[in-house]
Amino acid sequence: MNIASVPAAHISTRLMDASQLRAALDGPGELALLDVREEGTFGEGHLFFAVNAPYSRLEISVGALVPRTGARIVLVDDGEGIADLSARRLAGLGYTDLAVLSGGVPAWKVAGHQLFKSVNSRSKAFAEVVEHAFHTPDIEAAELHRLLHSDADVVVLDSRTPEEFERFHVPGAVSCPGGDLALKFDTFVTSADQLVVVSCAGRTRGIIGAQSLIDAGVPNRVVALRGGTQGWRLAGLDLDAGGIDVFDFESTSAAGAGARARAEAVRVRFGVRAVDQAQVARWLTEEAATRTTYVFDLRDRQEREAAPLPGAIPAPGGQLVQALDRWVGVQRSRIVLVDDDGVRARMTAHWLIQLGEEVHVLDGPRDRLRFARPDGGAAPRIESVTPGAVAALLAQGGRALSLDASAAYRAGHAAGALWTIRPLLSGLPQEVLRAPILVLFAAEPAVADLAALDLGEMSPARIVAVEGGFAAWRDAGLPVEATPDTPPDAERIDYLFWAHDRHEGNAEAMRTYLGWEEQLPAQVVAEGGGGFRLVP
């Protein structure tokens, strides 16, 4: 998709009040509820079903989140007008069914509705509801520590991503991402007498991981580590960091057969539908104009490279359950899951179905499948200049703007560059907007292109981007400065402050975060329910 320059007068955006949006959320048909505020503001309070699509990179992300341009979209902001501007940009991409929540998030709150903190709130609330419904067993950190230092036979499986595991984990734990737990269980767990503990950083992935193994019918006693690594630290215990052992997961055919049998039993019990490539192809062609279909490849990078499935979207199964709104922007859409083993797709699907989604697993050959990978809108590429040429432009009265994350800017930026991001551009001082040249620093070139699209409507300046951004500037030995207090916290709408330092040892932040997770089921009930469909 290419961004068209659509005059504001030619865009007719419908306004929708809170009661109309509530009816749309409860009604039939597809709906994409996109919150276009930056992540920091979004995380301080958002609608339960909202998907964060920050305006700073809206056209980059929307193609994957909402691949069908005819899908119904409702845009949400704080009532300051960013949603209207977003509607204009989306119309330029060809989206045809656009509405804006009148008054934004404040109006939703005034209407008596709940606001949810943090990110991935729907998935985290779902995990807490699962624990309440199925009484998923857990173990306190102190008790696990005692068992690990006794003769007890215990296996700790860390269900987070490998990158998270390397940063910190419970001593002696094994990295086994949530989507792989059932697949690799018989490799890591060698006796039916072993206690299996599933850990994460907080509560929710540990709960889902432990319940996954219980649902799969493994013979062992399985529990979640209460509070995960945060609970471990609150108990006064130290975490480890470091690499991941590599195992030969194909070492025994019996283990693979056992995992496949358990996963197939789960598929039958939870009503997961298996489809062939002919059916998926029909959905992606004959029904493409009227129904949104996402195809996710749950395999790891090595598997995808060995047997490519062009266009399918890579997504780790455990993360898909934990953060569905990172990949799926359209409610009541259709999801197809692909793997090579028949285990990861089935286990992931059994959770997504209970989350309220329509989910299918692809079985059989896939040799004729080719998917059109949804791409974001491509803004017109702006002129780029080398770091060495910037000094001459600044000497001609140019002004430098940094579009990088506020945390990165504080740590280091080109000397004299002002920090801003796309939704804040209209607040730049007039002397900046009147400069003859605006020089943009951005780690991602497309972010500079999008900002230039807006700046071009505010300023007559010549707008250029620095090739390679700040990294190239720094590597060229050009002047760099750090500003630990600039931008001030009040302006950092891209940074989520709420409980942000819980992983850095702030005990109060850890307690706040864990308490927030525990209260989510009550908050979901107060909002009228989360659309979950738990299978007894």
Side-chain angles (χ1 to χ4, degrees):
M1 289 182 283
N2 290 314
I3 298 173
S5 180
V6 182
H10 293 173
I11 300 298
S12 177
T13 304
R14 292 179 290 112
L15 290 177
M16 178 179 286
D17 64 25
S19 63
Q20 291 170 319
L21 177 55
R22 181 72 263 176
L25 289 168
D26 294 337
E30 294 187 351
L31 174 67
L33 180 61
L34 302 184
D35 189 320
V36 294
R37 300 173 300 161
E38 300 304 300
E39 184 177 79
T41 312
F42 174 87
E44 289 294 340
H46 57 82
L47 282 63
F48 183 65
F49 286 101
V51 171
N52 194 204
Y55 181 64
S56 59
R57 51 185 305 109
L58 176 64
E59 296 93 328
I60 301 170
S61 62
V62 72
L65 286 173
V66 188
R68 188 171 65 85
T69 56
R72 179 173 47 159
I73 298 176
V74 179
L75 300 164
V76 180
D77 61 6
D78 270 330
E80 79 286 23
I82 294 296
D84 297 279
L85 187 51
S86 298
R88 179 184 172 200
R89 297 305 181 202
L90 293 181
L93 291 176
Y95 288 92
T96 57
D97 192 347
L98 299 164
V100 169
L101 174 62
S102 180
V105 170
W108 185 257
K109 184 177 181 180
V110 167
H113 296 292
Q114 297 284 309
L115 296 180
F116 291 76
K117 286 186 176 293
S118 194
V119 294
N120 312 130
S121 303
R122 180 180 169 219
S123 291
K124 292 174 181 178
F126 172 69
E128 295 291 341
V129 169
V130 165
E131 186 197 41
H132 279 238
F134 301 130
H135 307 290
T136 307
D138 62 17
I139 187 171
E140 295 283 355
E143 175 62 10
L144 175 58
H145 181 262
R146 185 188 70 78
L147 292 175
L148 289 172
H149 288 79
S150 70
D151 293 330
D153 198 354
V154 183
V155 178
V156 181
L157 303 178
D158 191 309
S159 63
R160 299 171 300 154
T161 65
E163 294 77 15
E164 291 174 287
F165 178 89
E166 289 194 61
R167 287 198 292 272
F168 53 83
H169 55 264
V170 170
V174 176
S175 176
C176 187
D180 294 348
L181 284 167
L183 176 68
K184 300 175 180 178
F185 180 83
D186 293 321
T187 299
F188 294 129
V189 181
T190 57
S191 165
D193 296 326
Q194 288 177 303
L195 171 65
V196 178
V197 181
V198 182
S199 174
C200 66
R203 292 176 47 81
T204 54
R205 280 181 284 183
I207 292 167
I208 291 296
Q211 193 62 48
S212 290
L213 295 176
I214 294 169
D215 290 349
V218 300
N220 300 67
R221 180 185 170 215
V222 181
V223 299
L225 174 59
R226 186 172 184 84
T229 57
Q230 292 177 78
W232 188 265
R233 294 190 73 169
L234 286 171
L237 303 170
D238 293 327
L239 296 169
D240 274 354
I244 299 170
D245 291 331
V246 177
F247 293 82
D248 178 7
F249 297 116
E250 302 300 326
S251 59
T252 63
S253 58
R260 286 190 293 271
R262 292 178 191 133
E264 176 60 14
V266 167
R267 185 192 71 79
V268 173
R269 176 187 165 194
F270 287 85
V272 177
R273 286 169 283 186
V275 295
D276 61 19
Q277 64 176 341
Q279 179 62 72
V280 176
R282 284 192 292 273
W283 287 337
L284 295 172
T285 54
E286 298 171 15
E287 298 185 24
T290 57
R291 186 81 191 278
T292 302
T293 299
Y294 299 90
V295 180
F296 295 114
D297 189 337
L298 308 187
R299 300 173 299 166
D300 62 30
R301 179 175 56 82
Q302 292 83 356
E303 292 171 302
R304 295 195 304 271
E305 291 175 351
L309 191 57
I313 301 171
Q319 289 301 103
L320 199 58
V321 176
Q322 168 74 8
L324 186 64
D325 56 346
R326 174 182 167 185
W327 285 278
V328 174
V330 181
Q331 296 174 51
R332 297 183 284 273
S333 56
R334 181 192 292 122
I335 297 171
V336 178
L337 304 179
V338 182
D339 63 12
D340 277 341
D341 45 71
V343 177
R344 286 168 287 187
R346 283 161 168 75
M347 295 306 300
T348 301
H350 106 279
W351 285 125
L352 295 183
I353 280 176
Q354 295 181 89
L355 192 58
E357 305 297 325
E358 179 188 328
V359 188
H360 308 262
V361 296
L362 176 63
D363 270 356
R366 62 194 67 162
D367 55 294
R368 299 195 309 276
L369 282 179
R370 295 293 183 272
F371 310 109
R373 175 74 65 83
D375 294 317
R381 296 308 308 270
I382 62 172
E383 177 187 357
S384 62
V385 297
T386 65
V390 170
L393 297 179
L394 297 180
Q396 298 171 32
R399 298 294 298 266
L401 302 176
S402 172
L403 303 169
D404 290 330
S406 60
Y409 178 90
R410 281 184 164 193
H413 56 269
L418 297 178
W419 179 77
T420 188
I421 52 177
R422 193 183 186 192
L424 300 178
L425 294 175
S426 62
L428 287 170
Q430 283 302 305
E431 61 266 25
V432 172
L433 294 175
R434 287 195 295 264
I437 303 168
L438 293 175
V439 179
L440 307 184
F441 285 84
E444 189 174 355
V447 169
D449 295 337
L450 292 177
L453 191 68
D454 287 15
L455 282 169
E457 298 176 354
M458 304 174 189
S459 168
R462 172 189 172 197
I463 302 172
V464 301
V466 180
E467 291 179 5
F470 170 66
W473 174 275
R474 179 195 58 216
D475 293 345
L478 295 166
V480 170
E481 63 183 352
T483 53
D485 299 316
T486 303
D489 288 348
E491 296 178 10
R492 298 178 66 195
I493 61 175
D494 64 330
Y495 186 80
L496 179 56
F497 287 92
W498 181 78
H500 69 284
D501 53 352
R502 61 188 186 277
H503 297 314
E504 282 71 55
N506 185 324
E508 185 58 34
M510 287 187 271
R511 294 189 187 95
T512 296
Y513 183 83
L514 295 173
W516 167 77
E517 287 190 318
E518 289 182 295
Q519 65 81 43
L520 279 170
Q523 195 178 5
V524 170
V525 170
E527 183 56 14
F532 307 141
R533 299 193 296 260
L534 300 187
V535 176

